[in-house]
Amino acid sequence: MTRYIFITGGVVSSLGKGIASASLASILQARGANVTMIKLDPYINVDPGTMSPFQHGEVYVTEDGAETDLDLGHYERFVRMRTGRVNNYTTGRIYENVIRKERRGDYLGGTVQVIPHITDEIKRCIREGAEGHDIALVEIGGTVGDIESLPFLEAIRQMGVEHRRDSLFIHLTLVPFIGPSQEMKTKPTQHSVKELRSIGIQPDILLCRSSRPIPDEERRKIALFTNVEHEAVISALDVDDIYKVPLALHDQGLDDIVTEKLRLELPPADLSDWEWVVDSRDRLDGEVTIAMVGKYVNRADAYKSLTEALIHAGIHTHTRLHVRSIDSEELERLGTQQLRDADAILVPGGFGERGVEGKILAARYARENAIPYLGICLGMQVAVIDYARHVAGLEQAHSTEFQADTPHPVIGLITEWMTGEGGIEVRGPGDDLGGTMRLGGQPCRLQEGSLAKRMYAEPEIIERHRHRYEFNNHYAESLQRAGLRISGWSGDGNLVEVVELPAHPWYLGCQFHPEFTSTPRDGHPLFCGFVEAARARRGTTYCAAGGSQYGEH
Ligand code: GLN
């Protein structure tokens, strides 16, 4: 039998509901519970796949190929779990399901309504995601009071009644500190809970975000006005490192309150691995500057998993990282001087033509100056374009994504370059932007003796994809002859997954996105190797300036 923990948010958005939920799940997992997490998003998009990372932050890709909300990335980073399609539902997807059933005649002539049809579908989805787990933490996106979230709140209210003894409600609010009067204000929390209670949900636990500890007197006041027990009013203090949150919530006794309310007998939590993670700052013995050449540099969440993966690599290599975001368009305009003091260069994934020449330039600069380079997805594609243009002599080489009539389509749609005997992969309807990508975890075989094989120390890996374009196999032979090493192939041997430069200290492009599988506790071999290479490079530039085999350009 599954226990449900429903987490809602109030007062304002961006209070870190996803991180708080994931942290609680992590503690419960450390106490031996088999936990899962589900995110319900009130927006109408069927999934965030078509949303700009500019507006909504990164699209997180799961192993089973779902394009999901970035909170699922937090879930996988905090909890040892693999999320998938059943862990994220949007209003769009719920309605799509209901409308499909309606068209099929499943409702037998009935009038289809928000209650009960939409709410029933929400409950069905929650149960589907929760199946087989001791505890399901269900996070509702948005804040209480939004029109869009009402059907979700109604559905969880009903589940609270149906699973009265096996469910609880946590509400995350803000207790602001007003500078001039030097006071903490509980009124917004009172109002938020009032709003929640007006739709029939009485929270069991309040997590009150605040910039300083909430005095006991104020906690009592909140408890009194909200009908929540005093000890269940928890002060969730701001922390300077998100990975401190599991420890902070455990210190406040949150997991004991939860297990007691859910009548769960669980051994105490061993959080020593989280302590190890947050203590990493005391172990630092080096620092590097990494230039990240991308497009959405103003929106921190656009590359969320990637920036976290670099932080994880810093933790595991004891390195203080300075990540410098560089706008690829600016690089294109102003040249490479911005890359001068970079110990390593990273070009992440991306879509669209804007800034692509700047990324090609970054790949070239790293190649010619023996600077460690990691190119992810589009970052691999630009590395191939640079190599084709400037080493293999295919001057006008390009990707057909950016120049449809290039004479040398070294990167192209698989349908453009597959010959008869190769067959053509079918990737969805073709006219639907949401359905034409290579998505999700796929096996990749690594070549013996390659850098990739050395990093992963395994002959076959599984990493996640999210792209339409591929390395064009018609150029595999000529580019290899020119010195490019293809060190990773898809499981069926048909698609190029990894390229590298054997004569370069550390230069690797991968068609997949390794950032989605990096976690703070385990790190990721590719990112750790990349940061180690950056450290080695920094060492050589300091000890023997310009002493690389490629010389300085
Ligand atoms: N735009 C490229 C493609 O679709 C790369 C995508 C990416 O980097 N995620 O293939």
Side-chain angles (χ1 to χ4, degrees), residues 97-159:
N97 291 351
V98 169
I99 291 168
R100 201 178 314 116
K101 287 184 198 168
E102 185 272 334
R103 294 287 85 184
R104 238 178 14 217
D106 289 8
Y107 297 114
L108 306 174
T111 308
V112 182
Q113 295 178 295
V114 173
I115 304 173
H117 302 99
I118 295 296
T119 47
D120 278 354
E121 180 61 19
I122 295 171
K123 292 195 287 182
R124 191 192 66 74
C125 291
I126 294 174
R127 294 204 174 96
E128 178 180 68
E131 205 184 321
H133 298 276
D134 303 338
I135 307 176
L137 290 92
V138 183
E139 180 193 346
I140 321 293
T143 29
V144 169
D146 298 345
I147 292 176
E148 293 97 329
S149 50
L150 275 175
F152 289 109
L153 296 173
E154 169 58 17
I156 63 169
R157 180 197 69 75
Q158 292 175 18
M159 286 188 76

Side-chain angles (χ1 to χ4, degrees), residues 23-44:
S23 298
L24 172 59
S26 180
I27 310 171
L28 294 171
Q29 187 174 59
R31 297 188 62 162
N34 169 358
V35 298
T36 190
M37 305 196 66
I38 299 165
K39 174 85 193 284
L40 303 177
D41 278 308
Y43 49 74
I44 317 279

Side-chain angles (χ1 to χ4, degrees), residues 78 239-248 271-284 315 520-521:
F78 280 86
V239 286
D240 56 357
D241 171 1
I242 56 170
Y243 298 123
K244 285 183 178 165
V245 178
L247 296 165
L271 298 178
S272 50
D273 46 2
W274 284 115
E275 274 154 21
W276 180 86
V277 167
V278 302
D279 287 347
S280 66
R281 288 182 189 180
D282 306 332
R283 295 189 296 268
L284 298 175
I315 292 171
R521 288 182 284 181

Side-chain angles (χ1 to χ4, degrees), residues 348-352 376-379 381 401-402 411 437 466-470 511 513:
F351 292 84
I376 295 175
C377 207
L378 182 60
Q381 299 176 356
E401 180 179 6
F402 313 119
I411 306 291
M437 282 206 250
R466 182 173 186 255
H467 58 101
R468 293 191 181 84
Y469 294 81
E470 305 276 358
Q511 190 57 76
H513 290 267

Side-chain angles (χ1 to χ4, degrees), residues 315-343:
I315 292 171
H316 286 263
T317 60
H318 311 165
T319 310
R320 185 189 300 282
L321 292 185
H322 307 280
V323 178
R324 170 143 355 121
S325 301
I326 293 176
D327 183 345
S328 50
E329 265 186 314
E330 218 166 84
L331 196 72
E332 200 175 316
R333 229 182 23 249
L334 306 173
T336 54
Q337 66 268 22
Q338 290 184 81
L339 300 174
R340 278 270 153 79
D341 60 347
D343 302 309

